[in-house]
Amino acid sequence: KKLGLGSSAAALVASLGADFVKRGKALDDPDVRTQIFYRAREAHAAVQGGGSGVDLAASTYGGVLRYTLLAGKAWVTSMDLPIALVWRAYFSGSSARTSELRAQVTAFRDRDRAAYDRVMAKLGGASETAAAKLLDGSAGGFVDAARAFAEGLEQLGEESDAPIVPLAFRRLAVVAAAQNAAFFPSGAGGGDVGVYLGTAPPSDEFEARATQLGMHDLDLHLDLIGLRSEPEEAATTKESN
């Protein structure tokens, strides 16, 4: 099943990176990465009918990113996670199609622009607060902002009649909130991957509830490098292993 980790974005970025390497370009050159990111974003948007491009930025730059999109222009800034922050990722067992969710949200925008703008302002405000808390190194403040963002996602789903936050995610969010943590869908939502954020690891109660709801803990780690090339010998060894 599709996990929803941005594999199509990663494949596109990797393909463009390979083309640049063939032409003698260095992938650690900031200008080269910028060119790859914008080419990937243009191609991905044409296929998906839009999209933020944040998955392309993650594939290109790696690490923790503040991603700002305004009037079609994207700004990507590297940031650090507070030492006290704990994150986990879970696969819900069901896959979601971003294009379908986007279409429902777009229809909501077209029929009630004022309501749409109110929800998006709530989501934007939570995102700005989260970024500010990261700059301050406040793990607790970042988690609080993530919880507010999750509430905004749920409101967006209700008003657009889109299953952005499925019932299982809502139930786990309640358990997480009782422990001063947050749980919400990643990306466009609708299924796929959920993210736990807290200042302590998930409790036994949370883990048991997640298992009961069909969630699968994913053994993920944060890649700090992003797009890079490997010597052919190393790549061959990995494939044979």
Side-chain angles (χ1 to χ4, degrees):
K1 293 184 178 180
K2 181 179 78 71
L3 291 179
L5 291 177
S7 59
S8 63
L12 175 56
V13 168
S15 297
L16 288 169
D19 181 60
F20 272 70
V21 168
K22 287 181 180 178
R23 292 190 277 123
K25 304 293 184 178
L27 297 183
D28 58 356
D29 184 329
D31 291 336
V32 170
R33 289 198 179 203
T34 298
Q35 291 179 53
I36 290 172
F37 166 66
Y38 276 106
R39 288 191 185 184
R41 187 167 175 270
E42 181 180 357
H44 216 236
V47 173
Q48 282 196 340
S52 67
V54 67
D55 48 358
L56 299 163
S59 298
T60 304
Y61 299 103
V64 179
L65 305 174
R66 175 174 181 163
Y67 188 82
T68 305
L69 187 63
L70 183 63
K73 176 73 174 179
W75 288 267
V76 185
T77 308
S78 295
M79 303 186 78
D80 295 315
L81 291 179
I83 295 176
L85 184 71
V86 177
W87 66 273
R88 297 284 189 275
Y90 297 80
F91 176 54
S92 66
S94 61
S95 302
R97 290 184 62 84
T98 299
S99 57
E100 294 176 0
L101 293 169
R102 279 185 49 81
Q104 288 174 277
V105 171
T106 298
F108 165 50
R109 180 197 65 190
D110 293 343
R111 71 173 176 266
D112 193 340
R113 185 57 188 253
Y116 171 86
D117 287 343
R118 283 195 297 271
V119 178
M120 298 308 292
K122 182 175 182 177
L123 289 168
S127 298
E128 290 289 346
T129 299
K133 295 301 180 182
L134 280 188
L135 288 174
D136 293 339
S138 173
F142 180 70
V143 172
D144 290 342
R147 212 161 33 239
F149 185 85
E151 292 171 0
L153 281 181
E154 190 169 331
Q155 182 181 348
L156 178 61
E158 290 174 351
E159 298 205 30
S160 63
D161 294 324
I164 294 174
V165 185
L167 182 58
F169 285 76
R170 297 187 187 195
R171 289 175 172 170
L172 273 179
V174 172
V175 178
Q179 301 166 11
N180 295 317
F183 184 80
F184 54 95
S186 69
D192 289 343
V193 172
V195 177
Y196 168 95
L197 293 174
T199 53
S203 66
D204 291 342
E205 178 189 359
F206 182 92
E207 293 283 16
R209 189 66 169 134
T211 299
Q212 185 183 45
L213 292 169
M215 297 282 180
H216 308 276
D217 191 356
L218 297 175
D219 184 21
L220 301 181
H221 303 278
L222 183 63
D223 173 64
L224 299 176
I225 301 175
L227 183 63
R228 70 261 196 190
S229 60
E230 294 182 344
E232 187 174 349
E233 297 80 7
T236 302
T237 301
K238 283 187 176 181
E239 290 176 3
S240 63
N241 288 340

